[in-house]
Amino acid sequence: MIVLQTADPFQLIRAGYVTPAMPKLRPITYSWAVYVEGMPAKFVGIIDNAPDEQTAIARAIVEYDVPPNESGRLMALRRRD
């Protein structure tokens, strides 16, 4: 049995005896404002907790009953925090 006497936990990590514990990270999500492109752009609604633009657009189509002729012209802009 090997007994390591050190006060520096980073020395154990560098030596490979101990692996550092990784914190549990939650996925990064944003709030998005969804519009139909045009002149002027038509506001559809706000989508919360979407990780990216494509997910926000897909959720807006379902949540706001966007008609098929407008679903191809949607754009999502990330809102400021």
Side-chain angles (χ1 to χ4, degrees), residues 54-80:
Q54 304 303 334
T55 306
I57 289 172
R59 286 182 46 198
I61 291 171
V62 173
E63 289 183 24
Y64 294 107
D65 297 324
V66 177
N69 62 336
E70 291 182 347
S71 64
R73 297 186 301 137
L74 291 179
M75 65 177 180
L77 301 175
R78 194 172 90 187
R79 299 176 69 205
R80 291 188 181 180

Side-chain angles (χ1 to χ4, degrees), residues 7-56:
D8 185 16
F10 295 107
Q11 205 171 23
L12 294 173
I13 293 170
R14 284 190 293 270
Y17 293 112
V18 179
T19 57
M22 295 299 293
K24 297 207 185 247
L25 301 177
R26 60 186 171 113
I28 297 173
T29 59
Y30 302 103
S31 178
W32 300 84
V34 180
Y35 298 90
V36 176
E37 292 178 355
M39 288 303 284
K42 185 172 93 175
F43 178 72
V44 174
I46 301 292
I47 300 295
D48 290 322
N49 298 326
D52 59 5
E53 180 182 5
Q54 304 303 334
T55 306

